[in-house]
Amino acid sequence: MLSKPSTGTTTITMGTVEPHGFSPGRRDADAGAMFVLESKGKWWHAGFHLTTAIVGPTILTLPYAFRGMGWAVGIVSLTATAMVTFYSYYLMSKVLDHCEKEGRRHIRFRELAADVLGSGMMFYFVICVQTAINTGVGIGCILLAGESLQIMYTSIYPDGPLRLYQFIAMVTVVMILLSQMPSFHSLRYINLASLILSLGYSFVVVGACIYAGYSKDAPPKDYSLESSKSARTFSAFTSISVLASVLGNGILPEIQATLAPPAAGKMLKGLIMCYTVVMVTFYSTAITGYWAFGNKASSNILKSLMPDDGPSFAPTWLLGLAVVFVLLQLFAIGMVYSQVAYEIIERKSADVRKGMFSARNLLPRLLLRSVYMAACAFVAAMLPFFGDINGVVGAIGFIPLDFVLPMLLYNKSVKPPRTSLTFWINVSIMFVFSGVGLMGAFSSIRRLVLDANRFKLFSNDVVD
């Protein structure tokens, strides 16, 4: 056992970094690893998980992101963000493979960062940012799922008495039931269905946007940006934060942890699977949605297709099908992003000496996961800011974990020569996206503050 308490707050044991005071001993003493992050999957299972983490209903915000940048900047920004994230995730998998070859297989992002960078502070930084991401995505999934139910309800009963928070409560009941699936690996077939659903609603939305754009009742197409230069700048950085949120995941090490060892090289195949779906869905949705609605695109393009103050711009049955697909996939996404929280919870609450389904472990799992979901639902009902939440989560969460740390970890662990192109590409990406993250965080929080004046607590409408 190698011990390296460099700051007095961390201990490196068998290649992992833990907070001082926690004595994991053998791996079989770690309930978070044994139960939640069990390593049994194939590369295509990791591809299913990764696709669910990236290709979700947040792609319906892409026309909204484009309205803050315009055609040219929007397409260039989407392409650049997609290329950088693919490269970033590939580097992250290479770092994990490198550590595994040296006998240190990491299954948690926080452990990897602390080990490679030799700092206990990185452990806590990563766990705080991941918690923000997981909670933000959980809130967003519940909010969007509740809104999807509300859309279906109001299309049938326009003057019905049910309100948004009631639909959020319905969604939460289902999420609590699904949250009892014990491990990340147990979600593999749900995430395969999620992949299929993402293709399904993307094709439906693209078809609906084309139909709306050519309809005789088509809304006027205005692609102009805001008149003020400062407002355009803030909107552009907010939009870039939204793109980072849409393409980010922040949990690649945990996804790679689900692979049966040795995991080396398997994530690249999963990444190729995922980004094939990204190319098909992202560009088609962004381009057709922005083409059809221009700077009037809502933070959820389905709301543009089904406005509150007039008839739908596409057949109701077609839009209803898209809403159903979105609703079903949101349950899978909520489960994927909850796994880090469940791993942390179970690591502290479960007893690995008892069975995964023993009463000793089953009852705490039922209680604690239910409380976590209920807390996310309460915030979603109280603060319905879907588009703005995306921007804030992207800026303060996904940009550090997906656009900065992977490059830093690769340069520190693999150590490419300082004169190499790879080294300077990584440094450039870190520098550029650190600045983008800071500006995006400021812009997103600014928009969140401005939008706060437009609603009341537990509003019946999601603020764009």
Side-chain angles (χ1 to χ4, degrees):
M1 180 169 66
L2 175 63
S3 182
K4 183 184 176 183
S6 57
T7 64
T9 59
T10 62
T11 302
I12 300 179
T13 305
M14 293 302 289
T16 61
V17 181
E18 307 293 351
H20 185 67
F22 181 75
S23 302
R26 302 183 310 276
R27 170 57 58 87
D28 62 4
D30 186 343
M34 291 293 292
F35 293 165
V36 182
L37 298 180
E38 58 178 353
S39 304
K40 294 182 178 181
K42 307 294 185 182
W43 70 262
W44 54 88
H45 297 149
F48 300 159
H49 301 324
L50 191 61
T51 303
T52 299
I54 295 176
V55 188
T58 48
I59 67 174
L60 302 179
T61 66
L62 290 174
Y64 169 83
F66 270 40
R67 87 179 194 184
M69 297 183 287
W71 278 115
V73 177
I75 291 174
V76 169
S77 297
L78 177 57
T79 302
T81 308
M83 291 175 63
V84 170
T85 52
F86 182 89
Y87 175 70
S88 172
Y89 300 147
Y90 173 70
L91 288 189
M92 179 72 80
S93 70
K94 295 290 287 184
V95 172
L96 290 163
D97 292 349
H98 175 80
C99 292
E100 184 175 352
K101 289 176 183 176
E102 294 188 344
R104 308 181 336 266
R105 188 182 187 215
H106 293 291
I107 63 172
R108 300 174 176 98
F109 202 151
R110 58 191 185 271
E111 294 174 354
L112 173 68
D115 183 17
V116 172
L117 300 178
S119 170
M121 291 302 297
M122 289 306 302
F123 182 99
Y124 296 104
F125 171 77
V126 171
I127 199 170
C128 288
V129 174
Q130 277 193 319
T131 300
I133 289 173
N134 295 337
T135 306
V137 173
I139 292 168
C141 283
I142 292 172
L143 176 58
L144 189 55
E147 185 186 22
S148 298
L149 277 179
Q150 184 186 41
I151 288 171
M152 290 189 286
Y153 176 78
T154 54
S155 66
I156 299 171
Y157 303 106
D159 300 317
L162 296 182
R163 298 180 61 81
L164 178 61
Y165 70 87
Q166 293 170 300
F167 296 108
I168 287 174
M170 297 175 198
V171 167
T172 305
V173 172
V174 178
M175 296 287 268
I176 287 173
L177 293 174
L178 289 175
S179 71
Q180 302 311 311
M181 297 189 71
S183 70
F184 208 153
H185 180 64
S186 65
L187 301 176
R188 60 196 182 279
Y189 297 119
I190 288 179
N191 289 338
L192 170 59
S194 167
L195 187 157
I196 296 169
L197 287 167
S198 68
L199 291 171
Y201 64 71
S202 296
F203 294 152
V204 170
V205 167
V206 167
C209 287
I210 293 173
Y211 182 94
Y214 283 115
S215 169
K216 64 179 182 179
D217 298 319
K221 297 178 177 62
D222 183 359
Y223 307 113
S224 62
L225 302 178
E226 292 168 286
S227 57
S228 166
K229 185 176 181 180
S230 61
R232 289 199 303 271
T233 301
F234 283 127
S235 294
F237 277 107
T238 300
S239 296
I240 292 172
S241 297
V242 171
L243 292 181
S245 177
V246 173
L247 278 158
N249 73 79
I251 55 172
L252 188 136
E254 285 78 8
I255 292 175
Q256 186 156 329
T258 65
L259 291 167
K266 295 177 182 177
M267 274 304 293
L268 179 58
K269 297 179 181 178
L271 279 168
I272 292 172
M273 173 194 289
C274 173
Y275 273 77
T276 300
V277 180
V278 166
M279 295 298 291
V280 171
T281 56
F282 278 49
Y283 283 90
S284 59
T285 303
I287 290 171
T288 58
Y290 186 57
W291 168 78
F293 295 99
N295 57 19
K296 301 300 181 184
S298 170
S299 65
N300 179 354
I301 199 63
L302 285 174
K303 291 187 71 175
S304 296
L305 289 163
M306 293 185 287
D308 294 332
D309 55 355
S312 297
F313 290 110
T316 303
W317 67 267
L318 186 67
L319 298 175
L321 185 63
V323 171
V324 170
F325 287 169
V326 165
L327 175 63
L328 293 175
Q329 199 207 15
L330 283 165
F331 294 124
I333 295 171
M335 291 304 101
V336 164
Y337 277 97
S338 298
Q339 295 308 304
V340 174
Y342 296 160
E343 180 267 315
I344 295 170
I345 291 170
E346 207 132 323
R347 184 172 186 169
K348 300 296 184 181
S349 66
D351 185 349
V352 76
R353 294 169 297 181
K354 307 292 184 180
M356 183 184 292
F357 299 103
S358 65
R360 163 65 183 80
N361 292 326
L362 193 61
L363 293 177
R365 181 186 305 139
L366 175 63
L367 175 63
L368 295 174
R369 293 189 181 191
S370 299
V371 169
Y372 174 80
M373 278 297 166
C376 289
F378 179 79
V379 176
M382 185 173 64
L383 303 170
F385 283 159
F386 179 63
D388 293 341
I389 285 175
N390 257 353
V392 174
V393 170
I396 69 173
F398 290 119
I399 285 180
L401 295 192
D402 293 327
F403 295 83
V404 179
L405 270 180
M407 288 70 181
L408 179 60
L409 294 175
Y410 186 85
N411 283 357
K412 282 283 189 178
S413 61
V414 180
K415 294 182 172 62
R418 286 181 174 269
T419 56
S420 67
L421 181 62
T422 298
F423 179 87
W424 286 107
I425 288 175
N426 293 348
V427 171
S428 299
I429 291 173
M430 285 189 288
F431 177 77
V432 169
F433 278 93
S434 293
V436 168
L438 290 173
M439 285 298 298
F442 179 79
S443 301
S444 299
I445 293 171
R446 171 182 173 272
R447 184 177 289 269
L448 194 64
V449 171
L450 292 175
D451 285 344
N453 297 321
R454 297 169 48 197
F455 87 114
K456 297 181 293 185
L457 292 177
F458 300 99
S459 169
N460 195 46
D461 298 308
V462 177
V463 176
D464 288 339

